[in-house]
Amino acid sequence: MDRISNLPPPIIESILCLVPIKEAARTSILSNEWRYRWTKIPKLVFKEDMFEVHTFRAELPIMEGSFDELNQRKWMTKRCKLFYAIYQVLLKHAGPVHEFSLSMGADVACVEIDHIIFHLLSKNTLKKLTLDIPWDYRLPLSVFSLHHLTDLHLNSCELHHQPPFKNNIDYIGVDDSTIANLFERLPVVESLSIYLWTVKLFIKDGVPRELPTTLAHLKYVYVDYMCFIYKYGLNFLALLMRCSPNLEKLKLQIFNDPMDESDKYCSYTIEDCSDIWLEHLNELEIKNFSNEKDEMDFVKLILAKSPVLKKVKLILWEDVDEEEELQITRLLLPSPRASKAVTIILEHVV
């Protein structure tokens, strides 16, 4: 008895979202009833390594004249297959796309990705966008018109753009933007993942203490390469916490080595965060934690300012030995806590 086919369409779509897009598309051969079911799944995920690459010369007649090296031909074939698959899926897709994820290598200017973003813009339904493009792909201006986004993850994407018109006073580019301008463009953001060094692109006169508007929808914040000795590190983190009244989870990955020596020595201290109150925070996770004073003081601050906090997970730096781990435990356990239900977990990097 075929029980799956009798499930409500939303449940079938949710099931198909859990398998790779290639496998979801292959369900079209099951029966006439299943032929177009995959075309309505709201989540599309594409990864460069999901397509096998064949390098027989018979398959590469067009590229023979331009690419002499075998690895170059392999890379171009893989890329062409990936884009062809994406275009085929988007052309046949009949429902709204709520999530789109693309992971691949690309040039700074990659018109194929530009076309994909423009197509998603035309659907006007996208809520979550992930672009993992490790070769510094330059985002087109159209990405800033995806007004329904609640979750945006960008890896190694360039944000720099020249204004389309010199006298366009409404245009906001990275060269003249501030942190306030950045968050004005994210009024309904729910999940934010950001490299700390990205903040420097938006700093003109330092990090403001508050934003003009509250990030009322923001519930999850992940700051990678968080550095407490970086001059803008702690005050940027304090800004996010101060302006996010509904924040539920805060995750940090620590890297205490600023790229530029001039960026060291933060003048902003834990005492400057005394007005922060995290009414809805229930989880804190810090990776590469050690017994540095700034890191310890920050955890103590969170413990004292979070009345519904349930879990503090500290994944220790690989160089932290047993004695240092015991010292961390001794210092944190007696710390004042706003929540009586919080559990502190110490783990080592696996």
Side-chain angles (χ1 to χ4, degrees):
M1 182 177 180
D2 183 4
R3 296 181 179 179
I4 296 180
S5 297
N6 293 324
L7 291 172
I11 295 180
I12 293 179
E13 291 171 10
S14 298
I15 294 173
L16 292 177
C17 284
L18 298 175
V19 300
I21 188 65
K22 286 177 64 177
E23 304 304 322
R26 285 173 179 168
T27 61
S28 62
I29 67 173
L30 295 177
S31 66
N32 288 335
E33 185 179 355
W34 278 85
R35 186 174 182 182
Y36 298 108
R37 284 189 182 273
W38 71 273
T39 65
K40 296 182 180 180
I41 58 176
K43 180 179 180 181
L44 302 177
V45 178
F46 297 93
K47 297 182 180 180
E48 189 171 28
D49 58 5
M50 68 191 297
F51 295 93
E52 296 181 2
V53 178
H54 302 284
T55 57
F56 297 114
R57 288 186 173 273
E59 294 181 318
L60 302 169
I62 298 176
M63 300 178 186
E64 288 293 339
S66 303
F67 299 95
D68 296 326
E69 296 295 331
L70 180 61
N71 61 342
Q72 288 180 304
R73 298 202 307 272
K74 286 177 64 177
W75 181 82
M76 286 300 296
T77 304
K78 197 172 193 178
R79 170 173 164 156
C80 290
K81 286 189 175 185
L82 177 60
F83 282 128
Y84 180 77
I86 295 174
Y87 291 158
Q88 289 296 308
V89 169
L90 292 179
L91 287 173
K92 294 179 181 179
H93 198 274
V97 178
H98 295 154
E99 297 184 42
F100 185 88
S101 177
L102 175 60
S103 177
M104 65 171 294
D107 302 315
V108 172
C110 186
V111 67
E112 295 91 345
I113 301 179
D114 296 353
H115 291 163
I116 292 169
I117 293 176
F118 187 77
H119 180 85
L120 295 171
L121 175 62
S122 68
K123 278 185 170 287
N124 199 30
T125 58
L126 194 66
K127 296 181 179 180
K128 297 183 180 181
L129 175 63
T130 298
L131 295 177
D132 186 3
I133 316 291
W135 290 0
D136 296 324
Y137 162 66
R138 179 170 293 181
L139 285 170
L141 284 172
S142 57
V143 76
F144 298 105
S145 298
L146 296 167
H147 297 304
H148 293 283
L149 281 183
T150 59
D151 192 311
L152 176 62
H153 178 84
L154 304 174
N155 181 20
S156 297
C157 297
E158 291 189 2
L159 294 172
H160 172 75
H161 287 284
Q162 293 297 325
F165 304 104
K166 291 183 179 179
N167 296 324
N168 186 355
I169 62 173
D170 293 328
Y171 172 81
I172 296 179
V174 172
D175 286 345
D176 56 5
S177 295
T178 65
I179 289 178
N181 297 146
L182 172 64
F183 286 107
E184 283 176 0
R185 295 298 181 101
L186 302 171
V188 295
V189 63
E190 296 180 4
S191 176
L192 175 67
S193 299
I194 189 169
Y195 280 92
L196 182 62
W197 312 126
T198 306
V199 177
K200 195 171 182 179
L201 298 173
F202 297 91
I203 293 174
K204 301 300 178 289
D205 301 314
V207 178
R209 186 175 180 83
E210 295 184 358
L211 294 172
T213 56
T214 300
L215 302 174
H217 298 272
L218 188 58
K219 296 182 179 180
Y220 171 82
V221 168
Y222 171 50
V223 181
D224 201 353
Y225 275 65
M226 176 61 199
C227 181
F228 285 95
I229 63 173
Y230 173 61
K231 65 168 64 175
Y232 303 120
L234 181 57
N235 48 350
F236 174 69
L237 189 56
L239 172 68
L240 289 179
M241 294 190 297
R242 187 176 289 116
C243 297
S244 307
N246 297 307
L247 186 64
E248 296 179 0
K249 181 174 180 178
L250 176 61
K251 182 177 179 180
L252 310 175
Q253 178 156 313
I254 294 177
F255 184 79
N256 274 329
D257 187 16
M259 297 179 182
D260 189 338
E261 287 293 319
S262 64
D263 287 335
K264 284 187 176 181
Y265 311 115
C266 176
S267 60
Y268 199 84
T269 65
I270 292 294
E271 286 71 24
D272 295 316
C273 304
S274 59
D275 63 316
I276 291 174
W277 184 251
L278 300 166
E279 189 171 355
H280 296 282
L281 189 72
N282 57 60
E283 184 175 349
L284 170 68
E285 180 178 324
I286 302 180
K287 189 174 182 180
N288 295 336
F289 187 82
S290 64
N291 60 347
E292 295 290 334
K293 184 179 185 303
D294 291 331
E295 298 173 27
M296 295 289 292
D297 288 346
F298 179 76
V299 175
K300 291 178 181 179
L301 173 75
I302 299 298
L303 288 171
K305 299 290 186 175
S306 309
V308 298
L309 190 64
K310 295 181 180 179
K311 182 169 73 171
V312 173
K313 183 177 181 180
L314 305 176
I315 303 173
L316 303 178
W317 188 265
E318 58 183 8
D319 293 334
V320 173
D321 56 30
E322 292 183 4
E323 184 177 344
E324 290 175 311
E325 181 179 351
L326 184 60
Q327 183 181 5
I328 293 171
T329 303
R330 283 199 297 258
L331 290 173
L332 289 182
L333 286 181
S335 299
R337 306 178 188 186
S339 170
K340 303 301 181 183
V342 61
T343 300
I344 300 177
I345 302 171
L346 271 62
E347 294 184 0
H348 286 273
V349 177
V350 179

